[in-house]
């Protein structure tokens, strides 16, 4: 991908675009999957010669944009509910939906050694703010509220919550130090199988509902070879190896 630009109609957090070609696909992707998707697409483009336009944002906003005619051909959501909704409303190619990743949640601080790989810091209340994504818009935000409820910390921490519109903004609140702690997607702080920054607690999966992330081929892309090839590539061993390196599981 050798061109980055802001599409005028798009109100999302990040856009990466490629030069136009006959085999170009426009994919809308949940913010939590940004790093992984950029890596997958780089390999996909090298392997196939196709070009991919990537637009990143909250799944809720992407859903609304698809419903209002945005020219996306593939949608990778942060949950299953939004692709299912699009299926019900007739926006999706029948039979195309599948789970491309199962996400993991982490409690993260940009400060080294601030978190001792467990929930002690969170339980102690010794932090300035707790960043989490809006649970009404972002599945990772909903998972964060489930964790707090499971730990009996909802009321004790609520006055310190700062909510991001999506998981990318949630991460930024912590990265900039505006919040000592934040619930982020593990993929945001992991590369090549290792947490690369700050300190963290990888939240046990039994504390929140599985974050199953589904992809769909939208009807705008049903006749686009690049769109169909991208959907197939996401199921490949090569793509799975990349996805796993960012802390996700696959089926």
């Amino acid at each position: 991908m050798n061109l980055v630009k802001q599409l005028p109609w798009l109100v999302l957090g990040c856009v990466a675009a490629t030069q136009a070609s006959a085999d170009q696909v426009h994919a809308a992707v949940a913010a939590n999957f940004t790093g992984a998707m950029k890596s997958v697409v780089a390999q996909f483009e090298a392997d196939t010669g196709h070009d991919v336009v990537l637009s990143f944002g909250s799944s809720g906003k992407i859903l609304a944009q698809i419903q209002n005619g945005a020219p996306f051909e593939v949608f990778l959501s942060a949950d299953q509910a939004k692709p299912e909704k699009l299926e019900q409303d007739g926006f999706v190619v029948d039979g195309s939906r599948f789970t491309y990743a199962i996400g993991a949640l982490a409690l993260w601080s940009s400060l080294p050694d601030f978190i001792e790989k467990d929930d002690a810091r969170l339980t102690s209340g010794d932090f300035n703010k707790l960043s989490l994504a809006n649970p009404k818009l972002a599945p990772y935000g909903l998972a964060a509220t489930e964790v707090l409820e499971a730990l009996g910390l909802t009321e004790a921490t609520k006055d310190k919550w700062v909510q991001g519109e999506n998981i990318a903004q949630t991460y930024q609140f912590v990265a900039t130090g505006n919040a000592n702690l934040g619930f982020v997607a593990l993929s945001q702080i992991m590369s090549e199988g290792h947490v690369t920054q700050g300190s963290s607690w990888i939240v046990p999966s039994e504390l929140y509902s599985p974050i199953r992330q589904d992809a769909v081929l939208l009807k705008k892309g049903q006749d686009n070879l690049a769109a169909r090839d991208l959907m197939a590539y996401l199921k490949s061993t090569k793509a799975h190896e990349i996805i796993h390196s960012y802390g996700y599981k696959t089926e």
Side-chain angles (χ1 to χ4, degrees):
M1 294 182 292
N2 55 8
L3 176 65
V4 177
K5 63 183 181 180
Q6 178 69 47
L7 300 182
W9 48 267
L10 193 63
V11 188
L12 296 178
C14 173
V15 178
T18 60
Q19 291 180 337
S21 77
D23 295 314
Q24 183 182 81
V25 52
H26 195 163
V29 183
N32 74 86
F33 203 63
T34 298
M37 190 60 175
K38 286 181 177 179
S39 295
V40 168
V41 163
Q43 191 63 56
F44 171 74
E45 290 182 331
D47 288 348
T48 66
H50 294 315
D51 287 336
V52 183
V53 178
L54 289 174
S55 302
F56 299 101
S58 73
S59 297
K61 284 202 168 184
I62 293 172
L63 169 68
Q65 290 182 336
I66 291 170
Q67 292 170 327
N68 285 290
F72 301 132
E73 296 163 296
V74 169
F75 174 34
L76 277 66
S77 181
D79 64 0
Q80 292 184 305
K82 294 171 185 66
E84 288 174 350
K85 170 65 173 170
L86 290 171
E87 273 185 326
Q88 294 166 6
D89 293 346
F91 288 92
V92 171
V93 174
D94 289 343
S96 68
R97 181 168 62 86
F98 71 98
T99 299
Y100 68 91
I102 301 170
L105 188 70
L107 181 71
W108 178 61
S109 175
S110 61
L111 302 171
D113 303 320
F114 194 72
I115 300 172
E116 297 294 340
K117 298 186 177 180
D118 59 24
D119 64 350
R121 176 69 69 172
L122 182 64
T123 302
S124 73
D126 186 18
F127 54 90
N128 65 350
K129 296 291 182 183
L130 176 64
S131 179
L132 64 158
N134 185 335
K136 294 180 180 179
L137 294 175
Y140 283 82
L142 179 59
T145 62
E146 291 178 343
V147 172
L148 292 170
E149 189 66 25
L151 295 175
L153 294 174
T154 301
E155 293 306 317
T157 62
K158 204 159 192 177
D159 288 345
K160 295 186 177 183
W161 291 9
V162 288
Q163 290 190 16
E165 183 178 275
N166 55 47
I167 202 67
Q169 188 177 58
T170 303
Y171 170 90
Q172 285 300 321
F173 287 153
V174 185
T176 58
N178 289 319
N180 289 153
L181 294 179
F183 283 105
V184 301
L186 178 58
S187 61
Q188 293 175 295
I189 58 173
M190 178 173 279
S191 180
E192 298 181 357
H194 302 284
V195 174
T196 59
Q197 50 190 308
S199 54
S200 63
W201 172 49
I202 299 175
V203 180
S205 59
E206 60 265 24
L207 293 180
Y208 57 95
S209 302
I211 306 173
R212 299 177 65 86
Q213 303 191 190
D214 280 9
V216 286
L217 177 63
L218 299 168
K219 286 188 176 177
K220 288 181 183 292
Q222 63 186 343
D223 297 321
N224 184 340
L225 177 61
R228 295 197 303 272
D229 285 352
L230 178 59
M231 290 288 286
Y233 197 84
L234 287 166
K235 300 177 182 179
S236 71
T237 299
K238 191 175 289 188
H240 282 183
E241 288 175 352
I242 295 171
I243 293 169
H244 294 165
S245 75
Y246 282 85
Y248 296 97
K249 295 179 180 179
T250 56
E251 295 181 320

